[in-house]
Amino acid sequence: MNKPAPYAANPDQSLGRIFAEQASFTRNAFQRDRDRIIHSTAFRRLEYKTQVFVNHEGDLFRTRLTHSIEVAQMARGIARTLSLHEDLTEAIALAHDLGHTPFGHAGQDALNECMREFGGFEHNLQSLRVVEQLEQRYAEFDGLNLSFEVREGILKHCSIKNAKQLGDVGKRFLEKTSPSLEAQLTNYADEIAYNNHDVDDGLRSGLITIEQLSKVELFANNLAEVKSKHPKLENKRLIHETVRRMINTLVVDLCTQSAHNIASHQPQSIADIRRLPQLIGFSSEIATQNLKLKQFLRKNLYQHYKVNRMSAKAARIVRELFAAFYEDTGLMPNEFQIYAEADKARAVADYIAGMTDRYAIREHRKLFTVEEHL
Ligand code: MG
């Protein structure tokens, strides 16, 4: 790791953990946080949660686990290039999706709808709940007791109403200040990772085609480059070579533009970073190309009728599970029944949110199919 810049986050000057703990003998605070995340139950469940394609549709598609690892890999590379703290970006990246429901956005939207009268459901806020409360493994505290900087990075966005209830990590949304550069760049690494792996998975699934994508500038430019260098390449390699060049285009632009932004604002400390506008970003040219790619994916992949059919099924499963558990909390495991006495709707939402795709499908079958054994 390069020596971090003076405005990088510094584990020795962390704003600390909610419960004070002795420093680790072998690891800095952010490495320790990363390790706690990797050992959590929620992290292991990411293997069986998905974003676009439901888990059982194929072994080659990304899951939230492989997505999170890709984000961590990109975030570390960007952090190293900009002399920021790599360990912090890695911890944020590995934790950023811990609060996702089964079945990706379809699951989250359905759960949010079910929770409308009870404060709603938002995956980003749920990731924070997982690391602050829901993981119950340590003797002295609930959650993972992570450093402020990791929790700040996990909470990417938040409503003013929620921000008021969140204490230290909510403050920046009320005061309109910026998070660390490490948090900012991990957010971009997330976006670069999912846009590109969705192109890759989308092409592999056959739901989108190279011909369609050839109208998207970012893809077309990189495709043309690969074709001119390797005119006889078979499709599988052609796609991978194009996608890796797209990722490179985005990452290089992000690093170049962000370095320029940092140089023009001359921050001296992380306190300066918090006061300044967000300094991590694409050039306007690449930001436009990236937006066009996102719009393409939304229209042609995320709203593809085959994806819609899966999403509708997923939403139905979530809604029916919610209704059944809310109606009779005795159908949930004991610990959730006890918790439901204090807050029924939130207990049901937490139980459902923690499920993997396949667990939710099985749970639904067990509850609604007479033939199925308990
Ligand atoms: Mg993500």
Side-chain angles (χ1 to χ4, degrees), residues 152-177:
E152 169 194 58
I154 291 173
L155 192 66
K156 285 190 280 196
H157 42 76
C158 161
S159 67
I160 297 295
K161 188 170 143 259
N162 287 330
K164 285 181 183 157
Q165 295 165 8
L166 286 174
D168 56 358
V169 284
K171 242 169 96 182
R172 78 177 164 93
F173 298 94
L174 304 174
E175 294 172 355
K176 309 247 184 295
T177 54

PDB file of all heavy atoms in Angstrom, residues 152-177:
ATOM      1  N   GLU A 152     -19.953   5.096   8.105  1.00  0.00           N
ATOM      2  CA  GLU A 152     -20.237   6.278   7.280  1.00  0.00           C
ATOM      3  C   GLU A 152     -20.257   5.885   5.791  1.00  0.00           C
ATOM      4  O   GLU A 152     -21.106   6.336   5.021  1.00  0.00           O
ATOM      5  CB  GLU A 152     -19.138   7.329   7.521  1.00  0.00           C
ATOM      6  CG  GLU A 152     -19.156   8.495   6.549  1.00  0.00           C
ATOM      7  CD  GLU A 152     -17.871   9.320   6.620  1.00  0.00           C
ATOM      8  OE1 GLU A 152     -16.761   8.766   6.416  1.00  0.00           O
ATOM      9  OE2 GLU A 152     -17.978  10.520   6.869  1.00  0.00           O
ATOM     10  N   GLY A 153     -19.300   5.032   5.398  1.00  0.00           N
ATOM     11  CA  GLY A 153     -19.205   4.613   4.001  1.00  0.00           C
ATOM     12  C   GLY A 153     -20.367   3.719   3.582  1.00  0.00           C
ATOM     13  O   GLY A 153     -20.802   3.743   2.439  1.00  0.00           O
ATOM     14  N   ILE A 154     -20.867   2.924   4.518  1.00  0.00           N
ATOM     15  CA  ILE A 154     -21.985   2.026   4.201  1.00  0.00           C
ATOM     16  C   ILE A 154     -23.241   2.841   3.924  1.00  0.00           C
ATOM     17  O   ILE A 154     -24.011   2.529   3.017  1.00  0.00           O
ATOM     18  CB  ILE A 154     -22.233   1.039   5.374  1.00  0.00           C
ATOM     19  CG1 ILE A 154     -21.060   0.051   5.485  1.00  0.00           C
ATOM     20  CG2 ILE A 154     -23.551   0.291   5.190  1.00  0.00           C
ATOM     21  CD1 ILE A 154     -21.121  -0.859   6.715  1.00  0.00           C
ATOM     22  N   LEU A 155     -23.448   3.898   4.687  1.00  0.00           N
ATOM     23  CA  LEU A 155     -24.660   4.714   4.535  1.00  0.00           C
ATOM     24  C   LEU A 155     -24.465   5.715   3.391  1.00  0.00           C
ATOM     25  O   LEU A 155     -24.089   6.861   3.603  1.00  0.00           O
ATOM     26  CB  LEU A 155     -24.978   5.443   5.845  1.00  0.00           C
ATOM     27  CG  LEU A 155     -26.365   6.082   5.895  1.00  0.00           C
ATOM     28  CD1 LEU A 155     -27.474   5.037   5.868  1.00  0.00           C
ATOM     29  CD2 LEU A 155     -26.508   6.971   7.126  1.00  0.00           C
ATOM     30  N   LYS A 156     -24.747   5.269   2.184  1.00  0.00           N
ATOM     31  CA  LYS A 156     -24.496   6.097   1.001  1.00  0.00           C
ATOM     32  C   LYS A 156     -25.502   7.225   0.882  1.00  0.00           C
ATOM     33  O   LYS A 156     -25.188   8.310   0.453  1.00  0.00           O
ATOM     34  CB  LYS A 156     -24.603   5.234  -0.257  1.00  0.00           C
ATOM     35  CG  LYS A 156     -23.418   4.340  -0.444  1.00  0.00           C
ATOM     36  CD  LYS A 156     -23.452   3.691  -1.798  1.00  0.00           C
ATOM     37  CE  LYS A 156     -24.389   2.504  -1.830  1.00  0.00           C
ATOM     38  NZ  LYS A 156     -24.172   1.635  -2.989  1.00  0.00           N
ATOM     39  N   HIS A 157     -26.757   6.917   1.180  1.00  0.00           N
ATOM     40  CA  HIS A 157     -27.780   7.952   1.088  1.00  0.00           C
ATOM     41  C   HIS A 157     -28.806   7.692   2.174  1.00  0.00           C
ATOM     42  O   HIS A 157     -28.881   6.584   2.717  1.00  0.00           O
ATOM     43  CB  HIS A 157     -28.434   7.980  -0.291  1.00  0.00           C
ATOM     44  CG  HIS A 157     -28.714   6.613  -0.832  1.00  0.00           C
ATOM     45  ND1 HIS A 157     -29.760   5.844  -0.392  1.00  0.00           N
ATOM     46  CD2 HIS A 157     -28.058   5.853  -1.732  1.00  0.00           C
ATOM     47  CE1 HIS A 157     -29.734   4.683  -1.016  1.00  0.00           C
ATOM     48  NE2 HIS A 157     -28.708   4.655  -1.828  1.00  0.00           N
ATOM     49  N   CYS A 158     -29.602   8.710   2.441  1.00  0.00           N
ATOM     50  CA  CYS A 158     -30.503   8.581   3.585  1.00  0.00           C
ATOM     51  C   CYS A 158     -31.431   9.779   3.601  1.00  0.00           C
ATOM     52  O   CYS A 158     -31.025  10.894   3.265  1.00  0.00           O
ATOM     53  CB  CYS A 158     -29.588   8.522   4.816  1.00  0.00           C
ATOM     54  SG  CYS A 158     -30.311   8.862   6.357  1.00  0.00           S
ATOM     55  N   SER A 159     -32.697   9.554   3.953  1.00  0.00           N
ATOM     56  CA  SER A 159     -33.641  10.672   4.005  1.00  0.00           C
ATOM     57  C   SER A 159     -33.354  11.519   5.247  1.00  0.00           C
ATOM     58  O   SER A 159     -32.738  11.039   6.206  1.00  0.00           O
ATOM     59  CB  SER A 159     -35.072  10.133   4.079  1.00  0.00           C
ATOM     60  OG  SER A 159     -35.256   9.482   5.327  1.00  0.00           O
ATOM     61  N   ILE A 160     -33.819  12.760   5.226  1.00  0.00           N
ATOM     62  CA  ILE A 160     -33.608  13.656   6.373  1.00  0.00           C
ATOM     63  C   ILE A 160     -34.275  13.064   7.620  1.00  0.00           C
ATOM     64  O   ILE A 160     -33.718  13.092   8.713  1.00  0.00           O
ATOM     65  CB  ILE A 160     -34.182  15.068   6.064  1.00  0.00           C
ATOM     66  CG1 ILE A 160     -33.419  15.690   4.879  1.00  0.00           C
ATOM     67  CG2 ILE A 160     -34.142  15.972   7.281  1.00  0.00           C
ATOM     68  CD1 ILE A 160     -31.950  15.973   5.122  1.00  0.00           C
ATOM     69  N   LYS A 161     -35.466  12.481   7.418  1.00  0.00           N
ATOM     70  CA  LYS A 161     -36.202  11.898   8.544  1.00  0.00           C
ATOM     71  C   LYS A 161     -35.368  10.792   9.213  1.00  0.00           C
ATOM     72  O   LYS A 161     -35.211  10.764  10.434  1.00  0.00           O
ATOM     73  CB  LYS A 161     -37.534  11.336   8.027  1.00  0.00           C
ATOM     74  CG  LYS A 161     -38.477  10.888   9.102  1.00  0.00           C
ATOM     75  CD  LYS A 161     -39.853  10.586   8.509  1.00  0.00           C
ATOM     76  CE  LYS A 161     -40.481   9.406   9.193  1.00  0.00           C
ATOM     77  NZ  LYS A 161     -40.406   8.144   8.473  1.00  0.00           N
ATOM     78  N   ASN A 162     -34.804   9.912   8.381  1.00  0.00           N
ATOM     79  CA  ASN A 162     -33.975   8.839   8.942  1.00  0.00           C
ATOM     80  C   ASN A 162     -32.673   9.389   9.522  1.00  0.00           C
ATOM     81  O   ASN A 162     -32.201   8.917  10.554  1.00  0.00           O
ATOM     82  CB  ASN A 162     -33.660   7.786   7.882  1.00  0.00           C
ATOM     83  CG  ASN A 162     -34.881   6.936   7.560  1.00  0.00           C
ATOM     84  OD1 ASN A 162     -35.737   6.725   8.406  1.00  0.00           O
ATOM     85  ND2 ASN A 162     -34.967   6.477   6.332  1.00  0.00           N
ATOM     86  N   ALA A 163     -32.099  10.368   8.826  1.00  0.00           N
ATOM     87  CA  ALA A 163     -30.808  10.931   9.265  1.00  0.00           C
ATOM     88  C   ALA A 163     -30.905  11.442  10.703  1.00  0.00           C
ATOM     89  O   ALA A 163     -29.978  11.287  11.494  1.00  0.00           O
ATOM     90  CB  ALA A 163     -30.363  12.045   8.329  1.00  0.00           C
ATOM     91  N   LYS A 164     -32.061  12.021  11.052  1.00  0.00           N
ATOM     92  CA  LYS A 164     -32.239  12.574  12.402  1.00  0.00           C
ATOM     93  C   LYS A 164     -32.177  11.498  13.478  1.00  0.00           C
ATOM     94  O   LYS A 164     -31.881  11.776  14.636  1.00  0.00           O
ATOM     95  CB  LYS A 164     -33.579  13.311  12.484  1.00  0.00           C
ATOM     96  CG  LYS A 164     -33.540  14.658  11.778  1.00  0.00           C
ATOM     97  CD  LYS A 164     -34.871  15.370  11.914  1.00  0.00           C
ATOM     98  CE  LYS A 164     -34.819  16.690  11.139  1.00  0.00           C
ATOM     99  NZ  LYS A 164     -36.139  17.161  10.755  1.00  0.00           N
ATOM    100  N   GLN A 165     -32.487  10.257  13.074  1.00  0.00           N
ATOM    101  CA  GLN A 165     -32.495   9.176  14.074  1.00  0.00           C
ATOM    102  C   GLN A 165     -31.199   8.383  14.103  1.00  0.00           C
ATOM    103  O   GLN A 165     -31.051   7.447  14.877  1.00  0.00           O
ATOM    104  CB  GLN A 165     -33.650   8.218  13.773  1.00  0.00           C
ATOM    105  CG  GLN A 165     -34.996   8.885  13.926  1.00  0.00           C
ATOM    106  CD  GLN A 165     -36.116   8.067  13.295  1.00  0.00           C
ATOM    107  OE1 GLN A 165     -35.909   6.943  12.872  1.00  0.00           O
ATOM    108  NE2 GLN A 165     -37.299   8.645  13.258  1.00  0.00           N
ATOM    109  N   LEU A 166     -30.263   8.725  13.206  1.00  0.00           N
ATOM    110  CA  LEU A 166     -29.095   7.869  13.059  1.00  0.00           C
ATOM    111  C   LEU A 166     -27.852   8.328  13.811  1.00  0.00           C
ATOM    112  O   LEU A 166     -26.804   7.695  13.710  1.00  0.00           O
ATOM    113  CB  LEU A 166     -28.761   7.704  11.573  1.00  0.00           C
ATOM    114  CG  LEU A 166     -29.725   6.788  10.810  1.00  0.00           C
ATOM    115  CD1 LEU A 166     -29.398   6.803   9.329  1.00  0.00           C
ATOM    116  CD2 LEU A 166     -29.665   5.368  11.332  1.00  0.00           C
ATOM    117  N   GLY A 167     -27.948   9.423  14.535  1.00  0.00           N
ATOM    118  CA  GLY A 167     -26.797   9.870  15.325  1.00  0.00           C
ATOM    119  C   GLY A 167     -25.624  10.274  14.461  1.00  0.00           C
ATOM    120  O   GLY A 167     -25.801  10.913  13.412  1.00  0.00           O
ATOM    121  N   ASP A 168     -24.410   9.810  14.830  1.00  0.00           N
ATOM    122  CA  ASP A 168     -23.180  10.293  14.181  1.00  0.00           C
ATOM    123  C   ASP A 168     -23.162  10.118  12.658  1.00  0.00           C
ATOM    124  O   ASP A 168     -22.809  11.036  11.928  1.00  0.00           O
ATOM    125  CB  ASP A 168     -21.945   9.633  14.828  1.00  0.00           C
ATOM    126  CG  ASP A 168     -21.974   8.095  14.818  1.00  0.00           C
ATOM    127  OD1 ASP A 168     -22.969   7.522  14.333  1.00  0.00           O
ATOM    128  OD2 ASP A 168     -20.992   7.486  15.274  1.00  0.00           O
ATOM    129  N   VAL A 169     -23.594   8.955  12.153  1.00  0.00           N
ATOM    130  CA  VAL A 169     -23.518   8.759  10.693  1.00  0.00           C
ATOM    131  C   VAL A 169     -24.613   9.503   9.926  1.00  0.00           C
ATOM    132  O   VAL A 169     -24.515   9.678   8.714  1.00  0.00           O
ATOM    133  CB  VAL A 169     -23.548   7.262  10.267  1.00  0.00           C
ATOM    134  CG1 VAL A 169     -22.209   6.598  10.529  1.00  0.00           C
ATOM    135  CG2 VAL A 169     -24.671   6.505  10.916  1.00  0.00           C
ATOM    136  N   GLY A 170     -25.646   9.933  10.642  1.00  0.00           N
ATOM    137  CA  GLY A 170     -26.721  10.673   9.974  1.00  0.00           C
ATOM    138  C   GLY A 170     -26.382  12.148   9.794  1.00  0.00           C
ATOM    139  O   GLY A 170     -26.938  12.829   8.931  1.00  0.00           O
ATOM    140  N   LYS A 171     -25.450  12.612  10.610  1.00  0.00           N
ATOM    141  CA  LYS A 171     -25.159  14.051  10.674  1.00  0.00           C
ATOM    142  C   LYS A 171     -24.828  14.694   9.325  1.00  0.00           C
ATOM    143  O   LYS A 171     -25.258  15.804   9.020  1.00  0.00           O
ATOM    144  CB  LYS A 171     -23.971  14.285  11.631  1.00  0.00           C
ATOM    145  CG  LYS A 171     -24.345  15.143  12.824  1.00  0.00           C
ATOM    146  CD  LYS A 171     -23.267  15.128  13.859  1.00  0.00           C
ATOM    147  CE  LYS A 171     -22.347  16.319  13.705  1.00  0.00           C
ATOM    148  NZ  LYS A 171     -21.243  16.305  14.675  1.00  0.00           N
ATOM    149  N   ARG A 172     -24.054  13.985   8.506  1.00  0.00           N
ATOM    150  CA  ARG A 172     -23.614  14.629   7.260  1.00  0.00           C
ATOM    151  C   ARG A 172     -24.766  14.915   6.290  1.00  0.00           C
ATOM    152  O   ARG A 172     -24.670  15.798   5.435  1.00  0.00           O
ATOM    153  CB  ARG A 172     -22.514  13.827   6.576  1.00  0.00           C
ATOM    154  CG  ARG A 172     -22.956  12.603   5.810  1.00  0.00           C
ATOM    155  CD  ARG A 172     -21.745  11.967   5.146  1.00  0.00           C
ATOM    156  NE  ARG A 172     -21.992  10.632   4.704  1.00  0.00           N
ATOM    157  CZ  ARG A 172     -22.394  10.324   3.465  1.00  0.00           C
ATOM    158  NH1 ARG A 172     -22.596  11.277   2.588  1.00  0.00           N
ATOM    159  NH2 ARG A 172     -22.564   9.064   3.127  1.00  0.00           N
ATOM    160  N   PHE A 173     -25.862  14.155   6.435  1.00  0.00           N
ATOM    161  CA  PHE A 173     -27.006  14.416   5.558  1.00  0.00           C
ATOM    162  C   PHE A 173     -27.767  15.658   6.025  1.00  0.00           C
ATOM    163  O   PHE A 173     -28.406  16.335   5.237  1.00  0.00           O
ATOM    164  CB  PHE A 173     -27.937  13.203   5.517  1.00  0.00           C
ATOM    165  CG  PHE A 173     -27.250  11.983   4.967  1.00  0.00           C
ATOM    166  CD1 PHE A 173     -26.652  11.056   5.820  1.00  0.00           C
ATOM    167  CD2 PHE A 173     -27.142  11.801   3.601  1.00  0.00           C
ATOM    168  CE1 PHE A 173     -25.993   9.942   5.306  1.00  0.00           C
ATOM    169  CE2 PHE A 173     -26.476  10.702   3.078  1.00  0.00           C
ATOM    170  CZ  PHE A 173     -25.896   9.776   3.934  1.00  0.00           C
ATOM    171  N   LEU A 174     -27.682  15.946   7.305  1.00  0.00           N
ATOM    172  CA  LEU A 174     -28.338  17.134   7.842  1.00  0.00           C
ATOM    173  C   LEU A 174     -27.473  18.367   7.596  1.00  0.00           C
ATOM    174  O   LEU A 174     -27.963  19.441   7.266  1.00  0.00           O
ATOM    175  CB  LEU A 174     -28.592  16.964   9.346  1.00  0.00           C
ATOM    176  CG  LEU A 174     -29.403  15.726   9.749  1.00  0.00           C
ATOM    177  CD1 LEU A 174     -29.463  15.567  11.264  1.00  0.00           C
ATOM    178  CD2 LEU A 174     -30.806  15.807   9.168  1.00  0.00           C
ATOM    179  N   GLU A 175     -26.165  18.171   7.731  1.00  0.00           N
ATOM    180  CA  GLU A 175     -25.251  19.310   7.575  1.00  0.00           C
ATOM    181  C   GLU A 175     -24.765  19.474   6.138  1.00  0.00           C
ATOM    182  O   GLU A 175     -24.019  20.392   5.833  1.00  0.00           O
ATOM    183  CB  GLU A 175     -24.045  19.121   8.513  1.00  0.00           C
ATOM    184  CG  GLU A 175     -24.456  19.176   9.985  1.00  0.00           C
ATOM    185  CD  GLU A 175     -23.322  18.811  10.931  1.00  0.00           C
ATOM    186  OE1 GLU A 175     -22.233  18.423  10.438  1.00  0.00           O
ATOM    187  OE2 GLU A 175     -23.532  18.908  12.149  1.00  0.00           O
ATOM    188  N   LYS A 176     -25.154  18.541   5.275  1.00  0.00           N
ATOM    189  CA  LYS A 176     -24.752  18.564   3.859  1.00  0.00           C
ATOM    190  C   LYS A 176     -23.238  18.622   3.687  1.00  0.00           C
ATOM    191  O   LYS A 176     -22.702  19.418   2.927  1.00  0.00           O
ATOM    192  CB  LYS A 176     -25.420  19.739   3.114  1.00  0.00           C
ATOM    193  CG  LYS A 176     -26.920  19.823   3.297  1.00  0.00           C
ATOM    194  CD  LYS A 176     -27.642  19.553   1.987  1.00  0.00           C
ATOM    195  CE  LYS A 176     -29.140  19.707   2.063  1.00  0.00           C
ATOM    196  NZ  LYS A 176     -29.813  18.763   2.932  1.00  0.00           N
ATOM    197  N   THR A 177     -22.552  17.790   4.424  1.00  0.00           N
ATOM    198  CA  THR A 177     -21.102  17.681   4.261  1.00  0.00           C
ATOM    199  C   THR A 177     -20.789  16.384   3.510  1.00  0.00           C
ATOM    200  O   THR A 177     -21.684  15.597   3.219  1.00  0.00           O
ATOM    201  CB  THR A 177     -20.387  17.686   5.630  1.00  0.00           C
ATOM    202  OG1 THR A 177     -20.968  16.649   6.437  1.00  0.00           O
ATOM    203  CG2 THR A 177     -20.537  19.018   6.324  1.00  0.00           C
TER     204      THR A 177
END
